[in-house]
Amino acid sequence: MDYIDLHTHSTASDGTFAPAEVFALAAELRLSAVALTDHDTVAGLEEFLAAAKDHPECEAVPGVELACMLYMREIHILGLFINCRSAVLTEFLEKCRIERAKRNRDIFLKLHFLGYDLDLSMPEFGGKELDAIGRPHFARALRAHYDGFTTSQMVFDKLLGHNRPAWVPRKLPSPAEAIAAIHAAGGVAVWAHPVSRDTTERAYLTRACRKLAAQGLDGIEAYYSLFSANETALVTEAAARYGLALSGGSDFHGENSANVVLGFGAGGLRVPEQLLYGLKEKLIQRRTEA
């Protein structure tokens, strides 16, 4: 059986592998397809797609990951098979970058008043602009320049996580806006990592799937690095109920998530190639209706 990975990140957002390196690793691991889905940016896609030209055995899927707010909870929507030059998507992403820059400025300020002085010139920020960094960059900088943090998770637990002292909420678009931007870019919209173990998931999943399906959601991530077999079964059941295609991916970030390996997640993840066919059927249907 062949396997795929439809959820990865590169240095274009908060990963530590360059876009071409993400593809090269996928080809080395003999995956039959890999998607690059950086946060709120398509800046790495041209390099990613160029790296795939001489490797027809591994399909490169252009993607993006968009953060949204649904029922007072942040969720993420993946756009797969997108046209990265879409004017509608470009405008949507520019608004996201403006909000990301505002949030990052506030995080810098909160950390300063807490006694942690960081700035963009530090190598951990990779020479990126304010609108292109994420909390993993802050975590790496804090680990490098301040004692007491042996892992990035420790940084999140003490400072950067939800409701921690340096937490700053994001102003996020609605899922309907994100889905519309993905469809305008010729792609399919997939709800990423839809459940987590610390909440009452079945009721939320049912309510959210009903609403998102009505807004045009095409698929849902049933295979994910942190999912147990029960969680995969729960999501698969919801997908069947609401006519959603299944997807799956590792959420690979390189060294920023050292326990997550491309294609393998935390060790047990294997996303079957057959899921790609269901997503492509949705893609054909979406483009036929357009």
Side-chain angles (χ1 to χ4, degrees):
M1 180 182 291
D2 291 324
Y3 298 97
I4 61 177
D5 191 334
L6 300 181
H7 189 168
T8 74
H9 299 277
S10 76
T11 51
S13 64
D14 57 350
T16 60
F17 281 48
E21 292 175 326
V22 173
F23 179 82
L25 180 57
E28 180 183 332
L29 294 171
R30 300 181 182 274
L31 297 181
S32 60
V34 60
L36 183 64
T37 54
D38 279 313
H39 296 284
D40 300 331
T41 183
V42 294
L45 288 182
E46 289 193 9
E47 176 185 331
F48 173 72
L49 295 173
K53 287 182 178 178
D54 297 325
H55 296 274
E57 73 281 4
C58 182
E59 181 177 355
V61 178
V64 69
E65 182 169 7
L66 307 177
C68 315
M69 186 65 69
L70 178 66
Y71 301 135
M72 302 301 293
R73 174 168 161 178
E74 181 175 329
I75 69 168
H76 291 188
I77 305 291
L78 301 177
L80 300 176
F81 305 102
I82 60 169
N83 171 9
C84 60
R85 296 182 179 180
S86 161
V88 173
L89 181 61
T90 297
E91 182 179 353
F92 179 91
L93 293 176
E94 178 60 25
K95 293 178 181 178
C96 292
R97 282 192 288 273
I98 291 171
E99 292 302 325
R100 182 180 290 272
K102 290 178 181 177
R103 185 199 198 197
N104 287 333
R105 188 178 297 111
D106 288 343
I107 292 175
F108 272 116
L109 286 172
K110 281 200 170 189
L111 288 171
H112 168 75
F113 288 118
L114 290 166
Y116 301 97
D117 287 317
L118 306 179
D119 63 72
L120 283 174
S121 68
M122 292 175 172
E124 293 76 22
F125 292 103
K128 296 178 182 292
E129 298 295 328
L130 195 62
D131 63 357
I133 62 173
R135 287 182 296 161
H137 293 99
F138 286 100
R140 291 182 70 191
L142 287 163
R143 286 179 61 192
H145 297 279
Y146 289 92
D147 295 332
F149 301 113
T150 57
T151 67
S152 291
Q153 189 59 51
M154 288 182 65
V155 180
F156 277 82
D157 290 343
K158 182 176 180 180
L159 294 171
L160 297 174
H162 185 70
N163 288 335
R164 297 292 89 200
W167 164 259
V168 178
R170 297 175 64 183
K171 181 180 179 182
L172 296 173
S174 69
E177 293 172 293
I179 292 169
I182 290 166
H183 288 166
V188 292
V190 174
W191 184 10
H193 40 74
V195 296
S196 61
R197 298 172 184 176
D198 59 355
T199 55
T200 305
E201 290 303 294
R202 184 177 293 275
Y204 182 87
L205 182 66
T206 299
R207 183 184 181 200
C209 279
R210 184 185 304 116
K211 185 175 184 68
L212 292 172
Q215 294 176 343
L217 187 72
D218 302 292
I220 190 167
E221 198 170 61
Y223 295 79
Y224 183 66
S225 291
L226 300 181
F227 280 4
S228 66
N230 287 339
E231 288 163 320
T232 293
L234 176 65
V235 176
T236 300
E237 176 188 326
R241 182 182 306 166
Y242 293 100
L244 302 173
L246 298 179
S247 186
S250 63
D251 206 357
F252 174 74
H253 283 73
E255 294 176 10
N256 283 337
S257 54
N259 64 323
V260 173
V261 179
L262 188 74
F264 292 87
L269 178 73
R270 298 301 269 157
V271 183
E273 182 185 38
Q274 284 81 355
L275 270 59
L276 193 65
Y277 307 149
L279 290 165
K280 286 184 175 180
E281 287 178 6
K282 287 285 186 179
L283 183 68
I284 293 169
Q285 178 184 347
R286 180 68 57 191
R287 291 178 176 177
T288 300
E289 293 172 350

